[in-house]
Amino acid sequence: MSEKVSKKKMVVLTGAGMSAESGLRTFRDGDGLWEEYNVYEVAHIDAWKKNPALVLRFYNERRQQVLNAKPNKAHRLLAAMERDFDITIITQNIDDLHERAGSSQVIHLHGEILRMRSEENPELSASIRGDILLGQVAPDGAQLRPDIVWFGEEVPMMLTAAHITGLADIFVIIGTSLQVYPAAGLVQQVPAGVPIYVIDKNIPTLSGNSPIHSIEQPATVGVEMLWLALGNS
C-alpha cells in the first residue's frame, strides 16, 4: 500500500485588490479616499473616540456593500485549489468573500465587518448583518463597535499569521501594495528558498532569499494564471 502524499502548504496573503473586482472599493483608490472620507477619519482608534457616530455610519454602509457583493472568479479559484493544496488564506480584507467562495482556512488580520464587539472587551463579540447603532451596548454595558482592527490598534492575529507563513511551501501575494504594517512584514517570515508568487496590477518591490514570480494582472486573471503555472489546468 502506497503512502498518502501530503499536500504542499500554500499560504496566500490577500489585500484590497482581491475584492476590488467584486465591486468593493478601497481606501487607496484614486486620491486615497474611500468615498468622501479620509482613512484616518473613520479607520483609526482616535476617530472612534472622537466621532463614533461617523465611524458607525461608515461601517454600516460598508457592511451592506459587502452583503450585496459576491465572490469573484479569483475567490472561487482559490477555494477550488484546496483540492490540490493545503491552503491558508491570510487576508487584510474585512469582507467574507473568501468564506463564501468556499475557502476553509481564513485568517482575518484586520477583523470582520460582519461581526461586532464590545468596545471594552474584544471577547464579547457576535455576528451582525444590520446596522450598529450609537447607544447599542454589549452584555458588559459598553458600546458595540465593528469587530475591526483600526490603525492605532494591535493586530491580535499577527503571531498566528506569522507562524503559518513560516510553514509555507508556496507563498502567494494577491492584490496588496505591501504598504500596511505589520501585515506587509509577513513576507519576511517566508522560509528562504520558498517560491513567492505576486499577483497585482502594480507589482510591489520585494527582496529576500526566495525566487519571485510576478504576475502583473488583476486578481481574477492572475489567480487563473497561477492555477495553470502550478499545473492545475
Side-chain angles (χ1 to χ4, degrees):
M1 182 181 294
S2 62
E3 293 184 3
K4 183 179 179 180
V5 177
S6 61
K7 296 178 180 179
K8 285 188 175 181
K9 181 67 180 177
M10 180 187 294
V11 179
V12 184
L13 174 64
T14 68
M18 185 77 196
S19 296
E21 292 174 270
S22 292
L24 297 179
R25 293 183 59 194
T26 77
F27 281 119
R28 298 186 184 279
D29 282 343
D31 60 0
L33 300 178
W34 197 94
E35 298 295 340
E36 69 269 29
Y37 303 108
N38 182 286
V39 60
Y40 291 104
E41 294 175 347
V42 291
H44 195 286
I45 185 59
D46 291 342
W48 172 252
K49 296 174 181 177
K50 177 182 177 182
N51 194 342
L54 173 64
V55 175
L56 286 177
R57 184 166 72 247
F58 174 79
Y59 283 99
N60 286 341
E61 292 171 357
R62 290 208 71 186
R63 188 175 302 107
Q64 293 311 307
Q65 290 166 350
V66 167
L67 289 169
N68 291 330
K70 295 180 179 179
N72 60 50
K73 185 177 182 179
H75 292 107
R76 296 192 299 271
L77 282 175
L78 281 181
M81 289 172 71
E82 290 190 9
R83 180 190 69 194
D84 299 297
F85 297 92
D86 173 13
I87 300 178
T88 297
I89 295 172
I90 303 169
T91 186
Q92 299 174 79
N93 299 334
I94 60 176
D95 61 64
D96 67 336
L97 297 182
H98 282 300
E99 289 91 341
R100 275 194 265 160
S103 290
S104 62
Q105 299 181 85
V106 183
I107 296 171
H108 285 269
L109 285 181
H110 297 157
E112 301 177 63
I113 190 66
L114 300 182
R115 295 196 66 80
M116 59 183 178
R117 48 156 281 204
S118 161
E119 67 174 343
E120 299 295 337
N121 184 355
E123 300 301 317
L124 293 178
S125 66
S127 62
I128 176 72
R129 295 295 185 273
D131 291 347
I132 304 173
L133 305 176
L134 198 61
Q136 187 177 357
V137 299
D140 62 351
Q143 171 67 43
L144 284 165
R145 53 164 277 186
D147 198 356
I148 301 297
V149 180
W150 288 318
F151 289 101
E153 295 187 303
E154 293 186 3
V155 182
M157 294 303 294
M158 195 61 206
L159 287 178
T160 299
H163 172 72
I164 292 294
T165 299
L167 302 177
D169 297 309
I170 302 169
F171 192 73
V172 182
I173 301 168
I174 306 173
T176 175
S177 61
L178 296 180
Q179 293 181 22
V180 177
Y181 283 84
L186 285 174
V187 179
Q188 306 305 317
Q189 303 301 317
V190 178
V194 166
I196 298 177
Y197 291 83
V198 187
I199 300 170
D200 200 273
K201 291 188 292 184
N202 299 291
I203 301 294
T205 301
L206 291 176
S207 61
N209 298 316
S210 295
I212 308 296
H213 305 275
S214 298
I215 303 176
E216 196 164 356
Q217 297 287 345
T220 52
V221 176
V223 175
E224 185 168 22
M225 292 175 68
L226 173 69
W227 174 273
L228 294 173
L230 295 176
N232 297 286
S233 57

PDB file of all heavy atoms in Angstrom, residues 10-14 78 81 90 168 170-174 190 195-199 223 226 230:
ATOM      1  N   MET A  10       0.266  25.927   0.955  1.00  0.00           N
ATOM      2  CA  MET A  10       0.235  27.213   0.265  1.00  0.00           C
ATOM      3  C   MET A  10      -0.362  28.254   1.207  1.00  0.00           C
ATOM      4  O   MET A  10      -1.454  28.070   1.743  1.00  0.00           O
ATOM      5  CB  MET A  10      -0.609  27.152  -1.014  1.00  0.00           C
ATOM      6  CG  MET A  10      -0.671  28.481  -1.769  1.00  0.00           C
ATOM      7  SD  MET A  10      -1.834  28.457  -3.171  1.00  0.00           S
ATOM      8  CE  MET A  10      -1.034  27.268  -4.241  1.00  0.00           C
ATOM      9  N   VAL A  11       0.376  29.328   1.426  1.00  0.00           N
ATOM     10  CA  VAL A  11      -0.115  30.434   2.241  1.00  0.00           C
ATOM     11  C   VAL A  11      -0.345  31.622   1.307  1.00  0.00           C
ATOM     12  O   VAL A  11       0.534  31.991   0.533  1.00  0.00           O
ATOM     13  CB  VAL A  11       0.874  30.803   3.359  1.00  0.00           C
ATOM     14  CG1 VAL A  11       0.350  31.973   4.185  1.00  0.00           C
ATOM     15  CG2 VAL A  11       1.118  29.585   4.260  1.00  0.00           C
ATOM     16  N   VAL A  12      -1.538  32.194   1.387  1.00  0.00           N
ATOM     17  CA  VAL A  12      -1.935  33.261   0.468  1.00  0.00           C
ATOM     18  C   VAL A  12      -2.267  34.514   1.270  1.00  0.00           C
ATOM     19  O   VAL A  12      -3.140  34.496   2.142  1.00  0.00           O
ATOM     20  CB  VAL A  12      -3.166  32.842  -0.364  1.00  0.00           C
ATOM     21  CG1 VAL A  12      -3.501  33.925  -1.388  1.00  0.00           C
ATOM     22  CG2 VAL A  12      -2.929  31.500  -1.053  1.00  0.00           C
ATOM     23  N   LEU A  13      -1.555  35.593   0.983  1.00  0.00           N
ATOM     24  CA  LEU A  13      -1.831  36.889   1.611  1.00  0.00           C
ATOM     25  C   LEU A  13      -2.633  37.728   0.626  1.00  0.00           C
ATOM     26  O   LEU A  13      -2.165  38.029  -0.467  1.00  0.00           O
ATOM     27  CB  LEU A  13      -0.524  37.602   1.968  1.00  0.00           C
ATOM     28  CG  LEU A  13      -0.656  39.037   2.514  1.00  0.00           C
ATOM     29  CD1 LEU A  13      -1.406  39.047   3.845  1.00  0.00           C
ATOM     30  CD2 LEU A  13       0.719  39.680   2.660  1.00  0.00           C
ATOM     31  N   THR A  14      -3.862  38.092   1.001  1.00  0.00           N
ATOM     32  CA  THR A  14      -4.694  38.877   0.095  1.00  0.00           C
ATOM     33  C   THR A  14      -4.987  40.261   0.660  1.00  0.00           C
ATOM     34  O   THR A  14      -5.096  40.445   1.870  1.00  0.00           O
ATOM     35  CB  THR A  14      -6.031  38.173  -0.218  1.00  0.00           C
ATOM     36  OG1 THR A  14      -6.858  38.118   0.952  1.00  0.00           O
ATOM     37  CG2 THR A  14      -5.797  36.770  -0.736  1.00  0.00           C
ATOM     38  N   LEU A  78      -9.298  30.099  -5.770  1.00  0.00           N
ATOM     39  CA  LEU A  78      -8.512  29.773  -4.575  1.00  0.00           C
ATOM     40  C   LEU A  78      -9.185  28.677  -3.761  1.00  0.00           C
ATOM     41  O   LEU A  78      -8.518  27.777  -3.233  1.00  0.00           O
ATOM     42  CB  LEU A  78      -8.314  31.019  -3.708  1.00  0.00           C
ATOM     43  CG  LEU A  78      -7.233  32.004  -4.132  1.00  0.00           C
ATOM     44  CD1 LEU A  78      -7.162  33.153  -3.139  1.00  0.00           C
ATOM     45  CD2 LEU A  78      -5.866  31.325  -4.237  1.00  0.00           C
ATOM     46  N   MET A  81      -8.645  25.347  -5.430  1.00  0.00           N
ATOM     47  CA  MET A  81      -7.271  24.855  -5.349  1.00  0.00           C
ATOM     48  C   MET A  81      -7.004  24.062  -4.073  1.00  0.00           C
ATOM     49  O   MET A  81      -5.965  23.404  -3.956  1.00  0.00           O
ATOM     50  CB  MET A  81      -6.290  26.028  -5.477  1.00  0.00           C
ATOM     51  CG  MET A  81      -6.251  26.605  -6.893  1.00  0.00           C
ATOM     52  SD  MET A  81      -5.276  28.136  -7.027  1.00  0.00           S
ATOM     53  CE  MET A  81      -3.616  27.495  -6.832  1.00  0.00           C
ATOM     54  N   ILE A  90      -4.483  34.328   4.467  1.00  0.00           N
ATOM     55  CA  ILE A  90      -4.330  35.412   5.434  1.00  0.00           C
ATOM     56  C   ILE A  90      -4.792  36.673   4.729  1.00  0.00           C
ATOM     57  O   ILE A  90      -4.156  37.112   3.764  1.00  0.00           O
ATOM     58  CB  ILE A  90      -2.868  35.556   5.891  1.00  0.00           C
ATOM     59  CG1 ILE A  90      -2.355  34.241   6.497  1.00  0.00           C
ATOM     60  CG2 ILE A  90      -2.715  36.707   6.890  1.00  0.00           C
ATOM     61  CD1 ILE A  90      -0.855  34.223   6.736  1.00  0.00           C
ATOM     62  N   ALA A 168       5.077  27.714   5.097  1.00  0.00           N
ATOM     63  CA  ALA A 168       4.706  27.706   3.681  1.00  0.00           C
ATOM     64  C   ALA A 168       5.705  26.951   2.807  1.00  0.00           C
ATOM     65  O   ALA A 168       6.922  27.083   2.965  1.00  0.00           O
ATOM     66  CB  ALA A 168       4.568  29.136   3.177  1.00  0.00           C
ATOM     67  N   ILE A 170       4.727  27.261  -0.522  1.00  0.00           N
ATOM     68  CA  ILE A 170       4.475  28.236  -1.584  1.00  0.00           C
ATOM     69  C   ILE A 170       3.820  29.435  -0.915  1.00  0.00           C
ATOM     70  O   ILE A 170       2.910  29.273  -0.096  1.00  0.00           O
ATOM     71  CB  ILE A 170       3.522  27.678  -2.670  1.00  0.00           C
ATOM     72  CG1 ILE A 170       4.083  26.401  -3.296  1.00  0.00           C
ATOM     73  CG2 ILE A 170       3.245  28.726  -3.746  1.00  0.00           C
ATOM     74  CD1 ILE A 170       3.067  25.669  -4.175  1.00  0.00           C
ATOM     75  N   PHE A 171       4.263  30.629  -1.239  1.00  0.00           N
ATOM     76  CA  PHE A 171       3.658  31.842  -0.681  1.00  0.00           C
ATOM     77  C   PHE A 171       3.141  32.690  -1.839  1.00  0.00           C
ATOM     78  O   PHE A 171       3.846  32.928  -2.818  1.00  0.00           O
ATOM     79  CB  PHE A 171       4.678  32.637   0.137  1.00  0.00           C
ATOM     80  CG  PHE A 171       4.076  33.744   0.968  1.00  0.00           C
ATOM     81  CD1 PHE A 171       3.346  33.456   2.108  1.00  0.00           C
ATOM     82  CD2 PHE A 171       4.238  35.066   0.603  1.00  0.00           C
ATOM     83  CE1 PHE A 171       2.789  34.469   2.880  1.00  0.00           C
ATOM     84  CE2 PHE A 171       3.700  36.094   1.370  1.00  0.00           C
ATOM     85  CZ  PHE A 171       2.961  35.788   2.508  1.00  0.00           C
ATOM     86  N   VAL A 172       1.890  33.130  -1.705  1.00  0.00           N
ATOM     87  CA  VAL A 172       1.241  33.886  -2.773  1.00  0.00           C
ATOM     88  C   VAL A 172       0.742  35.219  -2.209  1.00  0.00           C
ATOM     89  O   VAL A 172       0.140  35.256  -1.129  1.00  0.00           O
ATOM     90  CB  VAL A 172       0.057  33.102  -3.383  1.00  0.00           C
ATOM     91  CG1 VAL A 172      -0.571  33.891  -4.531  1.00  0.00           C
ATOM     92  CG2 VAL A 172       0.506  31.724  -3.853  1.00  0.00           C
ATOM     93  N   ILE A 173       0.995  36.287  -2.930  1.00  0.00           N
ATOM     94  CA  ILE A 173       0.534  37.626  -2.543  1.00  0.00           C
ATOM     95  C   ILE A 173      -0.423  38.108  -3.624  1.00  0.00           C
ATOM     96  O   ILE A 173      -0.065  38.125  -4.804  1.00  0.00           O
ATOM     97  CB  ILE A 173       1.713  38.603  -2.417  1.00  0.00           C
ATOM     98  CG1 ILE A 173       2.712  38.104  -1.364  1.00  0.00           C
ATOM     99  CG2 ILE A 173       1.228  40.010  -2.076  1.00  0.00           C
ATOM    100  CD1 ILE A 173       4.037  38.849  -1.383  1.00  0.00           C
ATOM    101  N   ILE A 174      -1.626  38.501  -3.228  1.00  0.00           N
ATOM    102  CA  ILE A 174      -2.624  38.917  -4.212  1.00  0.00           C
ATOM    103  C   ILE A 174      -3.245  40.250  -3.810  1.00  0.00           C
ATOM    104  O   ILE A 174      -3.837  40.378  -2.731  1.00  0.00           O
ATOM    105  CB  ILE A 174      -3.759  37.878  -4.359  1.00  0.00           C
ATOM    106  CG1 ILE A 174      -3.201  36.490  -4.660  1.00  0.00           C
ATOM    107  CG2 ILE A 174      -4.737  38.306  -5.452  1.00  0.00           C
ATOM    108  CD1 ILE A 174      -4.261  35.396  -4.659  1.00  0.00           C
ATOM    109  N   VAL A 190       8.586  34.264   5.354  1.00  0.00           N
ATOM    110  CA  VAL A 190       8.595  33.171   4.378  1.00  0.00           C
ATOM    111  C   VAL A 190       9.948  32.462   4.441  1.00  0.00           C
ATOM    112  O   VAL A 190      10.996  33.116   4.377  1.00  0.00           O
ATOM    113  CB  VAL A 190       8.344  33.714   2.952  1.00  0.00           C
ATOM    114  CG1 VAL A 190       8.415  32.575   1.930  1.00  0.00           C
ATOM    115  CG2 VAL A 190       6.992  34.419   2.880  1.00  0.00           C
ATOM    116  N   PRO A 195       9.202  29.593  -3.054  1.00  0.00           N
ATOM    117  CA  PRO A 195       8.782  30.493  -4.136  1.00  0.00           C
ATOM    118  C   PRO A 195       7.650  31.419  -3.701  1.00  0.00           C
ATOM    119  O   PRO A 195       6.739  31.011  -2.979  1.00  0.00           O
ATOM    120  CB  PRO A 195       8.321  29.530  -5.238  1.00  0.00           C
ATOM    121  CG  PRO A 195       7.983  28.258  -4.530  1.00  0.00           C
ATOM    122  CD  PRO A 195       8.915  28.182  -3.359  1.00  0.00           C
ATOM    123  N   ILE A 196       7.756  32.662  -4.147  1.00  0.00           N
ATOM    124  CA  ILE A 196       6.738  33.671  -3.869  1.00  0.00           C
ATOM    125  C   ILE A 196       6.116  34.115  -5.191  1.00  0.00           C
ATOM    126  O   ILE A 196       6.835  34.544  -6.106  1.00  0.00           O
ATOM    127  CB  ILE A 196       7.331  34.884  -3.130  1.00  0.00           C
ATOM    128  CG1 ILE A 196       7.909  34.470  -1.778  1.00  0.00           C
ATOM    129  CG2 ILE A 196       6.270  35.978  -2.950  1.00  0.00           C
ATOM    130  CD1 ILE A 196       8.586  35.610  -1.020  1.00  0.00           C
ATOM    131  N   TYR A 197       4.807  33.985  -5.296  1.00  0.00           N
ATOM    132  CA  TYR A 197       4.070  34.449  -6.463  1.00  0.00           C
ATOM    133  C   TYR A 197       3.348  35.741  -6.082  1.00  0.00           C
ATOM    134  O   TYR A 197       2.650  35.789  -5.068  1.00  0.00           O
ATOM    135  CB  TYR A 197       3.059  33.402  -6.917  1.00  0.00           C
ATOM    136  CG  TYR A 197       3.690  32.153  -7.497  1.00  0.00           C
ATOM    137  CD1 TYR A 197       4.149  31.130  -6.665  1.00  0.00           C
ATOM    138  CD2 TYR A 197       3.832  31.991  -8.875  1.00  0.00           C
ATOM    139  CE1 TYR A 197       4.736  29.981  -7.182  1.00  0.00           C
ATOM    140  CE2 TYR A 197       4.418  30.843  -9.410  1.00  0.00           C
ATOM    141  CZ  TYR A 197       4.865  29.852  -8.560  1.00  0.00           C
ATOM    142  OH  TYR A 197       5.451  28.716  -9.077  1.00  0.00           O
ATOM    143  N   VAL A 198       3.526  36.772  -6.900  1.00  0.00           N
ATOM    144  CA  VAL A 198       2.926  38.072  -6.620  1.00  0.00           C
ATOM    145  C   VAL A 198       1.953  38.420  -7.743  1.00  0.00           C
ATOM    146  O   VAL A 198       2.357  38.521  -8.912  1.00  0.00           O
ATOM    147  CB  VAL A 198       3.985  39.182  -6.493  1.00  0.00           C
ATOM    148  CG1 VAL A 198       3.328  40.485  -6.040  1.00  0.00           C
ATOM    149  CG2 VAL A 198       5.079  38.770  -5.517  1.00  0.00           C
ATOM    150  N   ILE A 199       0.684  38.584  -7.386  1.00  0.00           N
ATOM    151  CA  ILE A 199      -0.359  38.910  -8.361  1.00  0.00           C
ATOM    152  C   ILE A 199      -0.905  40.294  -8.039  1.00  0.00           C
ATOM    153  O   ILE A 199      -1.499  40.511  -6.985  1.00  0.00           O
ATOM    154  CB  ILE A 199      -1.504  37.878  -8.317  1.00  0.00           C
ATOM    155  CG1 ILE A 199      -0.975  36.480  -8.646  1.00  0.00           C
ATOM    156  CG2 ILE A 199      -2.619  38.275  -9.281  1.00  0.00           C
ATOM    157  CD1 ILE A 199      -1.986  35.363  -8.392  1.00  0.00           C
ATOM    158  N   VAL A 223      -4.953  34.859 -10.708  1.00  0.00           N
ATOM    159  CA  VAL A 223      -5.119  33.589  -9.992  1.00  0.00           C
ATOM    160  C   VAL A 223      -5.306  32.445 -10.985  1.00  0.00           C
ATOM    161  O   VAL A 223      -4.814  31.332 -10.765  1.00  0.00           O
ATOM    162  CB  VAL A 223      -6.286  33.665  -8.991  1.00  0.00           C
ATOM    163  CG1 VAL A 223      -6.536  32.299  -8.347  1.00  0.00           C
ATOM    164  CG2 VAL A 223      -5.981  34.694  -7.910  1.00  0.00           C
ATOM    165  N   LEU A 226      -1.898  31.627 -12.090  1.00  0.00           N
ATOM    166  CA  LEU A 226      -1.231  30.868 -11.018  1.00  0.00           C
ATOM    167  C   LEU A 226      -1.677  29.411 -11.069  1.00  0.00           C
ATOM    168  O   LEU A 226      -0.841  28.496 -10.962  1.00  0.00           O
ATOM    169  CB  LEU A 226      -1.568  31.485  -9.663  1.00  0.00           C
ATOM    170  CG  LEU A 226      -1.088  30.728  -8.435  1.00  0.00           C
ATOM    171  CD1 LEU A 226       0.429  30.783  -8.320  1.00  0.00           C
ATOM    172  CD2 LEU A 226      -1.748  31.278  -7.166  1.00  0.00           C
ATOM    173  N   LEU A 230       0.945  26.272 -11.731  1.00  0.00           N
ATOM    174  CA  LEU A 230       1.184  25.217 -10.739  1.00  0.00           C
ATOM    175  C   LEU A 230       0.686  23.839 -11.225  1.00  0.00           C
ATOM    176  O   LEU A 230       0.663  22.894 -10.464  1.00  0.00           O
ATOM    177  CB  LEU A 230       0.508  25.597  -9.413  1.00  0.00           C
ATOM    178  CG  LEU A 230       1.095  26.832  -8.732  1.00  0.00           C
ATOM    179  CD1 LEU A 230       0.292  27.177  -7.480  1.00  0.00           C
ATOM    180  CD2 LEU A 230       2.555  26.630  -8.372  1.00  0.00           C
TER     181      LEU A 230
END
